[in-house]
Amino acid sequence: MRYSQDWRESMSDPDLVPGIPGMKGSGVVEPEPAPGTLHPSGGGDRPGDRDVIRIDHLTKAFANHATVIAVNDVSFSVRRGEIFGLLGPNGAGKSTLIRILTTLMRPTSGRAFIDAFEVTRDDEKIRGIIGVCPQNSTLDLELTAYDNLAFYGDLLGVPTKDLDRRISDLLVMTGLAGRAEMQVKTFSGGMRRKLEIVRAFIHHPLVLFLDEPTIGLDPESRREVWRQIALLNQEETTIILTTHYMDEAEKLCNRIAFIDRGRLISLDTPDNLKRSVPAGDLIEIGVDRGDEGILTMVRRYDQVRSVEMKETVLAISATQGSRLVPLLLADLERHGVAVKSISIRSPSLEDVFIHLTGKKLDTPGVQDIPGLNRGRSR
Amino acid sequence: MMRGAVAIFKRDFKKFLSTPFVIFMTLFMPIMYLIVFGNAMGGAITGIPVGIVQEEPYITETPLFQSASEFMRYYHQNDNPVLFSITTFNQEKAAQQALSTGRIMGYVVFPSDTSPGREVRLYLDSSEYVIPGLIEAGVTAAVRGTGANNPFSVSKIYGSTEYIQFFGVGVIVMAIFMTTMMGGGIALIRDRELGIIEGYLVTPVKRSSIILGTIGSGTIKAFMAGTIIFMVNLVIAGTVIRTSDSYLLVFSVLFLISLGITSLVVALASRFSSQQEYASSVAFLNLFLFMTSGAFYPVLGMPDWLRWMTLINPEAYAVHALRSIILRGQGLAIIWPDILALSIFTGLAIMLGIATYRRRLE
């Protein structure tokens, strides 16, 4: 597995996150490409300067009735300032991994470092430099928004003289300034989530862990939360988020680690991951007639992996499909075939996952959000 | 309709069977209630410590004294052990001293000569329930049994105490135990069950800080509950407390119990992860401690094995201390052993709380 350095070229989607230019990778400036393996130091105790997290053959087994291996020999590193996604189906071991990194659980074997600290030995130091937003809400619903933030400000050692101002800033950032003195139980799901995310950020942590930050939220609230995450990343905080939503990982993450049944199955930028799918882009051209001649004509391009005629639709799998389309259109025109419709779909992360594991991610939430899942075209 | 009913029935039953601990407690508790209730309340009271003394000038033991004390020494009801545990005093002053410090629960002063006009005087610790009546009945039987016809005088040294006053003191202690175990403990378990605890376990807050803060707020809540019940009890039961020193002592004892029981609850709550399990265990513990505390019924009425429980039951010390202050107007000189026992309990509970609190999720 290799790093890829061109994640900054990843597609950005201005409609989705309006008002935040260059949200992707805004915290990272890396002039030089970064070749090398995931563990360049080869077993030293300190992670490299650019790595803020290093995970080294980490395994976690739960022994109840039968032994369940939730995390199975996982190794990877997370770079300073990036948004790193742990993507996988429910029960893949993402939350367990987060709980080990946030010192809530001990690994069965292997080691993990955050900055220079090891999770089992220096757990107290680690708790001071991380911010965590767990999967289930941990807000005190009976307390006000202000009191919830103040509580964590005190626990996280934010200087008392700065605390009031810091809370005000965070409430303004989330758009909840007007509700500072209202009980959290009167808040909507999206408002609660945003409050909880900034709560984890009250002490400017080095690393921010977000476990399924948008689970159970409506599309509008999800966008709000994404905007929030992108804003926080601009403050040079490394963000690790787990999700089983493809679109979320694709919109937010600089790099993505696919986790399945406790194992790390792939790690790369979203674009590189998509490029790894051999079928490439799917081009569909609606035509008024089709014959063997047209198919032969299409097949002569090297990029084309397969082509077939589905009634009046020409379905083509090809790499670099967007460059191929103008050539195909010209060919069709020369053959006197009228083109009625055209669409290109690049492989989604879900296609990548299917390619890697041979099965679908169970992503019930994705289907609920039209226009954000695999049907996206460009 | 039947299909729905059966479905509801099955669901309920499957859930019930999936929690072995709760099943155990549901079956075990009534049995324990039977044993504890049955023995702690309404048992035959035996071995009441009573003093006897003959009036000065003391020349020789009168026949009345001899036969009456002999009678009382072996006096018993049906198959029960003897009713009284007799101590003979040489001087009335010594007996009085023993009564006021709670070593005996009453004493009889026999006249120095047995001419019919001389009265037999009886002094009773009237702050106890049932016992004063038993002593009076026993002494009457003893004197009349010898054929003597001397008149009687009975002095209740703490005035006449109603049952509600006797019981009220127990309720104060129970209020503290109840509010802490149910209110405070459940709040802690909810934090764990709902995962709210996960939020602050990942902050650098120290384990000792969590415990100190939790015990602190719990103690104040319990103390307030105890104080309110104490005040209400004064009004309802019509108890009069005479000195401000006594008030100070009452509040000190209330605070000490609040601290101890809160610490115990914190220790327990950090080991339970389900409200249901915690609630069923604590309901039992609470009742058990209350029943064996002597709050309802004199400890002397319990069988020996249950009386041992009162020795390790902090609630019994609390009830005894409060009863001494509130009903008998006694001070530190009498209740220091209770205070010592409560302090040891509190210290152990805090140490247990710190030792068992889990800083991680597993």
Side-chain angles (χ1 to χ4, degrees):
Chain A
M1 204 182 310
R2 290 177 64 86
Y3 281 145
S4 76
Q5 50 275 12
D6 56 353
W7 51 266
R8 267 164 289 149
E9 299 163 18
S10 340
M11 167 191 64
S12 64
D13 192 336
D15 316 330
L16 202 60
V17 188
I20 303 166
M23 70 173 268
K24 277 218 164 185
S26 50
V28 184
V29 179
E30 275 182 277
E32 287 298 306
T37 62
L38 283 173
H39 304 294
S41 56
D45 268 14
R46 286 183 66 97
D49 282 345
R50 300 175 337 107
D51 294 337
V52 72
I53 294 179
R54 207 191 82 209
I55 295 169
D56 198 9
H57 298 288
L58 204 65
T59 296
K60 175 71 188 179
F62 292 104
N64 289 331
H65 301 295
T67 304
V68 175
I69 298 177
V71 175
N72 193 351
D73 195 24
V74 168
S75 303
F76 64 85
S77 305
V78 176
R79 294 177 205 159
R80 214 170 280 274
E82 74 179 334
I83 300 186
F84 188 92
L86 288 169
L87 186 61
N90 292 328
K94 304 181 302 266
S95 290
T96 304
L97 189 52
I98 293 279
R99 283 176 174 170
I100 292 171
L101 292 177
T102 57
T103 75
L104 281 174
M105 287 181 175
R106 284 171 179 279
T108 309
S109 66
R111 287 184 305 173
F113 296 88
I114 294 186
D115 205 27
F117 308 115
E118 207 273 330
V119 286
T120 54
R121 275 187 317 222
D122 314 311
D123 50 341
E124 239 171 76
K125 291 208 179 77
I126 287 178
R127 286 184 208 118
I129 57 168
I130 60 172
V132 187
C133 180
Q135 185 166 339
N136 298 318
S137 173
T138 60
L139 292 167
D140 286 307
L141 301 183
E142 306 84 0
L143 299 186
T144 63
Y146 187 97
D147 288 344
N148 264 288
L149 294 181
F151 176 46
Y152 277 78
D154 288 334
L155 293 187
L156 290 161
V158 176
T160 318
K161 60 178 173 39
D162 305 335
L163 186 58
D164 185 64
R165 191 188 173 80
R166 180 76 182 137
I167 292 171
S168 305
D169 288 350
L170 291 175
L171 286 172
V172 168
M173 195 192 247
T174 51
L176 293 171
R179 294 174 179 259
E181 295 304 326
M182 286 170 77
Q183 284 186 321
V184 170
K185 66 180 170 198
T186 65
F187 288 17
S188 72
M191 292 182 337
R192 289 180 191 184
R193 209 64 192 152
K194 282 194 292 177
L195 186 66
E196 198 160 7
I197 290 172
V198 295
R199 189 189 71 185
F201 192 69
I202 195 164
H203 56 310
H204 290 286
L206 189 65
V207 186
L208 183 60
F209 291 92
L210 306 173
D211 196 354
E212 299 279 4
T214 65
I215 199 162
L217 296 185
D218 62 80
E220 184 50 39
S221 303
R222 297 183 73 205
R223 272 188 276 273
E224 282 278 309
V225 169
W226 287 344
R227 198 172 299 148
Q228 192 71 60
I229 294 170
L231 261 177
L232 297 182
N233 185 235
Q234 285 185 322
E235 304 200 17
E236 309 244 318
T237 295
T238 308
I239 295 178
I240 298 202
L241 64 92
T242 74
T243 184
H244 64 269
Y245 296 125
M246 296 295 138
D247 54 330
E248 183 161 296
E250 195 163 345
K251 288 291 162 295
L252 287 172
C253 299
N254 305 124
R255 291 193 306 147
I256 291 170
F258 271 111
I259 310 276
D260 185 41
R261 290 183 222 166
R263 287 184 175 279
L264 175 71
I265 53 175
S266 187
L267 190 158
D268 216 323
T269 64
D271 279 5
N272 279 1
L273 283 170
K274 284 189 277 187
R275 256 175 233 149
S276 71
V277 179
D281 300 335
L282 178 67
I283 306 167
E284 287 181 328
I285 304 174
V287 289
D288 59 349
R289 65 185 173 82
D291 53 42
E292 200 49 40
I294 295 175
L295 294 183
T296 313
M297 181 192 74
V298 172
R299 281 198 193 101
R300 62 173 215 277
Y301 291 101
D302 289 344
Q303 300 100 305
V304 173
R305 293 277 175 275
S306 71
V307 59
E308 60 178 316
M309 198 69 203
K310 293 174 181 168
E311 292 174 26
T312 59
V313 174
L314 200 54
I316 302 159
S317 290
T319 51
Q320 298 180 303
S322 48
R323 291 191 200 161
L324 186 63
V325 167
L327 304 174
L328 289 174
L329 290 179
D331 288 346
L332 288 170
E333 201 178 342
R334 257 184 279 121
H335 267 72
V337 178
V339 172
K340 292 189 291 191
S341 69
I342 185 162
S343 78
I344 307 183
R345 184 170 71 75
S346 54
S348 66
L349 285 176
E350 176 135 24
D351 296 324
V352 178
F353 191 79
I354 293 167
H355 167 64
L356 290 169
T357 65
K359 64 175 187 184
K360 294 187 99 174
L361 268 166
D362 60 354
T363 52
V366 170
Q367 269 82 38
D368 298 337
I369 300 153
L372 287 182
N373 58 358
R374 48 187 305 183
R376 234 155 29 84
S377 45
R378 57 173 162 179
Chain B
M1 190 199 93
M2 274 320 286
R3 190 170 172 200
V6 168
I8 298 276
F9 175 87
K10 269 163 69 181
R11 161 182 175 267
D12 216 43
F13 223 78
K14 277 180 181 165
K15 281 167 76 171
F16 175 68
L17 291 177
S18 71
T19 51
F21 183 80
V22 177
I23 298 175
F24 173 74
M25 289 308 281
T26 331
L27 296 176
F28 176 71
M29 277 202 344
I31 297 169
M32 282 312 287
Y33 284 162
L34 181 71
I35 295 170
V36 176
F37 264 105
N39 285 299
M41 293 179 64
I45 294 174
T46 55
I48 304 168
V50 173
I52 51 174
V53 64
Q54 188 174 308
E55 232 173 34
E56 320 249 338
Y58 179 83
I59 300 147
T60 176
E61 285 184 3
T62 61
L64 173 65
F65 180 87
Q66 274 177 343
S67 54
S69 62
E70 199 67 6
F71 181 92
M72 283 175 67
R73 225 178 276 280
Y74 299 108
Y75 183 63
H76 60 88
Q77 295 165 324
N78 303 328
D79 296 336
N80 290 316
V82 291
L83 184 61
F84 301 116
S85 152
I86 300 292
T87 313
T88 310
F89 291 91
N90 292 327
Q91 291 180 316
E92 194 178 336
K93 251 197 158 53
Q96 197 182 355
Q97 173 74 14
L99 180 61
S100 68
T101 55
R103 274 184 287 134
I104 53 175
M105 296 177 135
Y107 66 92
V108 202
V109 184
F110 292 100
S112 54
D113 71 86
T114 42
S115 55
R118 298 293 298 272
E119 61 180 11
V120 175
R121 285 179 285 130
L122 179 57
Y123 295 87
L124 295 171
D125 174 352
S126 53
S127 67
E128 283 290 344
Y129 174 58
V130 180
I131 291 174
L134 283 174
I135 299 177
E136 199 176 331
V139 172
T140 313
V143 174
R144 296 290 174 258
T146 62
N149 222 351
N150 299 53
F152 255 84
S153 81
V154 178
S155 309
K156 296 178 172 173
I157 63 166
Y158 302 121
S160 68
T161 308
E162 305 289 325
Y163 181 67
I164 192 172
Q165 293 172 321
F166 172 84
F167 183 59
V169 174
V171 173
I172 299 171
V173 178
M174 188 181 72
I176 292 176
F177 274 61
M178 269 310 219
T179 50
T180 313
M181 286 193 168
M182 284 323 205
I186 293 279
L188 286 174
I189 306 257
R190 270 175 63 84
D191 267 13
R192 203 171 273 280
E193 202 173 40
L194 298 176
I196 290 177
I197 193 171
E198 226 180 295
Y200 57 81
L201 286 186
V202 293
T203 68
V205 64
K206 293 220 181 320
R207 193 163 83 150
S208 48
S209 309
I210 299 177
I211 291 168
L212 195 67
T214 314
I215 290 180
S217 75
T219 302
I220 299 300
K221 280 189 281 183
F223 180 70
M224 286 188 330
T227 304
I228 290 168
I229 301 290
F230 167 61
M231 294 298 185
V232 171
N233 175 58
L234 288 187
V235 176
I236 291 180
T239 318
V240 182
I241 293 184
R242 286 164 199 86
T243 67
S244 54
D245 281 3
S246 296
Y247 274 103
L248 202 66
L249 268 182
V250 168
F251 289 130
S252 311
V253 172
L254 289 184
F255 187 80
L256 195 57
I257 326 167
S258 302
L259 181 62
I261 196 63
T262 304
S263 310
L264 181 69
V265 162
V266 170
L268 284 179
S270 72
R271 280 286 140 184
F272 282 90
S273 47
S274 122
Q275 285 186 53
Q276 211 182 1
E277 286 179 9
Y278 174 81
S280 55
S281 315
V282 155
F284 173 70
L285 183 65
N286 198 31
L287 211 77
F288 186 81
L289 291 180
F290 189 56
M291 298 315 301
T292 59
S293 69
F296 269 127
Y297 198 73
V299 173
L300 284 176
M302 299 176 193
D304 284 347
W305 63 269
L306 207 53
R307 222 181 289 183
W308 278 104
M309 295 290 176
T310 64
L311 285 182
I312 54 164
N313 179 356
E315 206 165 329
Y317 292 99
V319 167
H320 182 261
L322 286 181
R323 215 167 256 165
S324 301
I325 307 166
I326 296 174
L327 298 182
R328 300 176 203 128
Q330 291 165 332
L332 216 48
I334 303 296
I335 64 164
W336 71 265
D338 298 319
I339 301 273
L340 180 68
L342 287 173
S343 304
I344 292 172
F345 160 71
T346 303
L348 287 177
I350 292 175
M351 285 196 291
L352 188 69
I354 292 174
T356 59
Y357 193 86
R358 290 175 295 173
R359 189 67 181 75
R360 291 173 195 268
L361 277 185
E362 347 172 53

